[in-house]
């Protein structure tokens, strides 16, 4: 890869340095649309830091940071309950280890491909840096579709996946966790197989474990709780809080459920949840016990929630949740779920804050619409970092063979979210974009990683 000589950085770092680099990334990573999107969104904001720190350009930090340290793609064969054989593809992208062992979740979803794993892994580098914890960035998963699979099929798939992946993992090397399609059950099967193959009870090799065998209190809640705590911090800088606000949440998985729980604890009314079939709007506020019950039993569709809840709640099939008027929007489903048009609708309906519980749920044009309208917008790498931060707390407990109380762990999480908010906020100010959390998060995360890479030499 080539870069312009650093002498030009001071003149126009964006067009002279960043544009050719981005063109080169497009050329070398063809078809990886989501990865391009994630890289572009970061590079667009780095101009001022490259102008201030030409040593980053000299050391080719951008080229190095955009190229994963290692990319693993492997075959995952397994047989279903009728004895039919399936072959899936497994991935682990070990993106950056300058701050610690590769850390990031595994996603099991039919949409998973290398571009998706690379986008998630790339985001994870900066997210993990923002937490202030000693964790590098990585991500993995498979195009396996867990929908309608029996428990035994899920177990066999996880065992086959880990039979290959185990040789690349280790508490000091690479520490996966969950993401979409990978929760406590899958982490259990993955951990069991790792333990069996290696003959080591290496608790710190996976996070999101069960509470009885090395898991951390508050890890399940952490991503959703953290996202709401970050939102509360953003509102606080504007002299507001969550009490009495009407909140729209998308999704109905782990992140959505615990974002709803924390928002309700802070006095907000959460009026929506959704899945791939449509959304529920419930003007009285989502009945979280009922939603949890529906999710845990049967097919777990939100339409069933609406049926059982009756009254003020209704299911709207085939549509997105962002047409529901709200003060605060928390996208907690998946990438690219808020389009430019959705953002226009949100703004027209008076939204004040949007915080990403999912990874990259807001499309670039939607981010622009929200920012131009003066909406407080928190990118996922800041707003949803509570999950991975609590994974790092789980690693800490495992390393010291200790386990902490829920209250203590949640307090640590709250401290971390306040710290992330503070560093995004002050960094954005320092670089001339006050209130712009995208700039703040990207630059604050990048500086930490880039400094570590410089210190560690050309590797
Ligand atoms: N998958 C989560 C994320 O996107 C958590 C990763 C972890 O805990 O390692 O950050």
């Amino acid at each position: 890869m080539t870069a312009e000589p650093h002498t030009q950085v001071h003149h126009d770092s964006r067009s002279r340095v960043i544009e050719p680099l981005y063109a080169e990334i497009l050329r070398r990573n063809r078809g990886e649309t989501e990865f391009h999107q994630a890289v572009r969104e970061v590079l667009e904001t780095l101009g001022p830091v490259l102008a201030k720190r030409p040593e980053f350009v000299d050391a080719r930090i951008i080229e190095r940071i955009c190229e994963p340290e290692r990319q693993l793609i492997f075959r995952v064969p397994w047989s279903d309950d009728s004895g039919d054989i399936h072959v899936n593809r497994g991935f682990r992208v070990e993106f950056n280890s300058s701050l610690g062992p590769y850390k990031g979740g595994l996603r099991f979803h039919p949409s998973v491909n290398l571009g998706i794993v690379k986008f998630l892994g790339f985001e994870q580098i900066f997210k993990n840096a923002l937490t202030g914890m000693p964790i590098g960035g990585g991500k993995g998963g498979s195009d396996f579709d867990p929908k309608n699979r029996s428990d035994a099929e899920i177990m066999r798939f996880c065992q086959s996946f880990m039979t290959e992946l185990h040789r690349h993992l280790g508490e000091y090397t690479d520490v996966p966790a969950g993401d979409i399609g990978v929760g406590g059950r899958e982490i259990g099967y993955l951990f069991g197989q790792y333990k069996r193959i290696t003959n080591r009870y290496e608790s710190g090799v996976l996070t999101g474990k069960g509470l009885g065998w090395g898991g951390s209190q508050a890890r399940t809640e952490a991503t959703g709780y953290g996202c709401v705590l970050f939102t509360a911090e953003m509102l606080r800088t504007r002299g507001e809080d969550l009490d009495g606000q009407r909140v729209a949440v998308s999704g109905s998985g782990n992140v959505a459920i615990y974002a709803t729980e924390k928002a309700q604890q802070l006095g907000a009314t959460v009026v929506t949840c959704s899945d791939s079939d449509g959304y529920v709007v419930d003007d009285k506020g989502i009945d979280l016990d009922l939603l949890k019950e529906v999710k845990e039993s049967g097919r777990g569709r939100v339409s069933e929630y609406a049926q059982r809840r009756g009254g003020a709640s209704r299911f709207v099939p085939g549509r997105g949740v962002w047409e529901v008027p709200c003060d605060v929007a928390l996208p907690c489903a998946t990438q690219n779920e808020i389009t430019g048009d959705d953002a226009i609708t949100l703004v027209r309906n008076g939204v004040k804050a949007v915080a990403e519980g999912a990874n990259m749920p807001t499309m670039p044009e939607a981010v622009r619409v929200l920012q131009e309208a003066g909406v407080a917008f928190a990118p996922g790498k800041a707003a949803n970092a509570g999950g991975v931060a609590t994974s790092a707390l789980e690693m800490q407990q495992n390393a010291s063979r200790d386990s902490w109380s829920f209250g203590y762990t949640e307090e640590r999480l709250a401290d971390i979210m306040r710290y992330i908010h503070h560093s995004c906020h002050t960094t954005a100010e320092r670089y001339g974009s006050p209130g712009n959390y995208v700039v703040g998060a990207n630059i604050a995360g990048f500086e930490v990683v880039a400094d570590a890479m410089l210190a560690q030499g050309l590797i």
Side-chain angles (χ1 to χ4, degrees), residues 395-407:
M395 291 162 74
Q396 239 181 68
Q397 293 167 77
N398 295 151
S400 57
R401 300 182 187 279
D402 197 359
S403 74
W404 307 339
S405 70
F406 191 94

Side-chain angles (χ1 to χ4, degrees), residues 92 102-107 120 123-124 127-128 135 138-139 175-180 182 207-208 219 223 255 357-359 380 384-392 394-395:
R92 187 73 181 164
Y102 308 108
K103 182 82 198 85
L106 299 171
R107 176 176 292 191
L120 291 164
E123 292 270 300
Q124 201 83 46
K127 181 196 303 193
N128 294 4
I135 42 179
K139 203 85 185 190
V175 182
D179 195 82
I180 294 171
V182 178
T207 61
R219 175 62 190 89
T223 312
V255 181
N359 289 312
N384 73 36
V388 75
T390 308
S391 277
E394 181 171 332
M395 291 162 74

